[in-house]
Amino acid sequence: DAGVIQSPRHEVTEMGQEVTLRCKPISGHNSLFWYRQTMMRGLELLIYFNNNVPIDDSGMPEDRFSAKMPNASFSTLKIQPSEPRDSAVYFCASSFRAVGYEQYFGPGTRLTVT
Amino acid sequence: QKEVEQNSGPLSVPEGAIASLNCTYSDRGSQSFFWYRQYSGKSPELIMFIYSNGDKEDGRFTAQLNKASQYVSLLIRDSQPSDSATYLCAVFGGSQGNLIFGKGTKLSVKP
């Protein structure tokens, strides 16, 4: 079975540009999570969706970040405009139950903003 | 601020030994507990979860939960060099509505 799919795997962009990260959750999973991982802060939850509805976006660092889930098989995380401090690995994870249950991570997108 | 604390390590054990990884959490109302393994440059991989006090065994791995002490641990028996990775503890429940991760313990198993 396919796991969580993320694209692109690597993204290098210049400060001020728009960045869009994509995620396809595991089929049948109804919860989707976006995380950011850095050496300094570790793994941080940015936002999660349940049945395509955003439930908690308190981890989104600022208005430059936005996320959507138009259907059960696709989600995007957008950063506009991007800044060097946004450089991190962004993971998408999904779960077939609610947030308190097992989550399965995608391979991640390594974002570098120069 | 709800916290999950782990010793960052590195924890170094010889091959064949038992590796003991520890995690404490601050929210007494926490309900479910997870251990993830993360190899360098890879994504976190779920290896164990535990919801009730006591021990849960899966192959060479044992998760131990003590809610009274707000402590969860992971034991790896017969450690192998392939177990060398960072182990992340994650906690859900209580007053926070999402999974809180510790910063991880780096384990090194020496041949």
Side-chain angles (χ1 to χ4, degrees):
Chain A
D1 289 341
V4 175
I5 299 172
Q6 291 187 248
S7 65
R9 296 291 306 275
H10 301 273
E11 177 80 34
V12 180
T13 191
E14 292 184 347
M15 182 174 62
Q17 297 298 305
E18 177 179 296
V19 175
T20 300
L21 311 181
R22 297 172 176 81
C23 176
K24 177 179 170 57
I26 294 171
S27 178
H29 282 195
N30 61 10
S31 294
L32 183 140
F33 310 84
W34 282 101
Y35 290 90
R36 177 172 67 178
Q37 188 174 40
T38 61
M39 290 293 292
M40 289 295 294
R41 299 176 66 87
L43 197 60
E44 303 174 284
L45 178 69
L46 300 177
I47 185 171
Y48 79 88
F49 296 84
N50 191 41
N51 293 323
N52 312 338
V53 176
I55 302 300
D56 183 356
D57 65 354
S58 59
M60 297 284 261
E62 48 197 278
D63 291 345
R64 298 184 298 105
F65 286 69
S66 63
K68 294 182 179 179
M69 191 165 186
N71 56 62
S73 60
F74 183 68
S75 177
T76 59
L77 178 67
K78 185 177 293 187
I79 307 172
Q80 166 64 21
S82 57
E83 297 183 3
R85 59 194 169 116
D86 301 330
S87 297
V89 180
Y90 291 80
F91 290 106
C92 176
S94 70
S95 171
F96 77 100
R97 289 187 283 182
V99 67
Y101 298 91
E102 311 91 84
Q103 297 180 22
Y104 298 88
F105 283 73
T109 296
R110 182 173 294 277
L111 173 64
T112 302
V113 183
T114 60
Chain B
Q1 179 73 15
K2 307 305 176 184
E3 295 183 344
V4 176
E5 300 286 345
Q6 295 182 256
N7 188 321
S8 63
L11 173 66
S12 184
V13 300
E15 183 175 357
I18 295 175
S20 178
L21 303 162
N22 305 314
C23 172
T24 58
Y25 57 95
S26 63
D27 191 335
R28 186 170 290 278
S30 297
Q31 300 162 16
S32 47
F33 307 85
F34 305 85
W35 283 100
Y36 285 81
R37 177 177 62 199
Q38 187 174 24
Y39 292 113
S40 180
K42 302 295 185 182
S43 60
E45 174 192 8
L46 180 66
I47 55 172
M48 289 286 288
F49 57 89
I50 187 167
Y51 302 137
S52 304
N53 272 333
D55 295 0
K56 179 180 179 182
E57 186 174 317
D58 184 0
R60 295 186 297 112
F61 298 98
T62 299
Q64 299 176 317
L65 175 61
N66 184 326
K67 289 187 176 181
S69 299
Q70 295 175 235
Y71 178 95
V72 57
S73 64
L74 179 70
L75 302 179
I76 306 175
R77 290 181 299 281
D78 187 23
S79 296
Q80 301 297 309
S82 59
D83 295 325
S84 298
T86 296
Y87 289 80
L88 302 170
C89 172
V91 174
F92 168 77
S95 61
Q96 75 268 9
N98 53 55
L99 203 58
I100 306 296
F101 281 82
K103 292 191 174 180
T105 298
K106 187 172 184 178
L107 173 66
S108 177
V109 181
K110 303 295 187 184

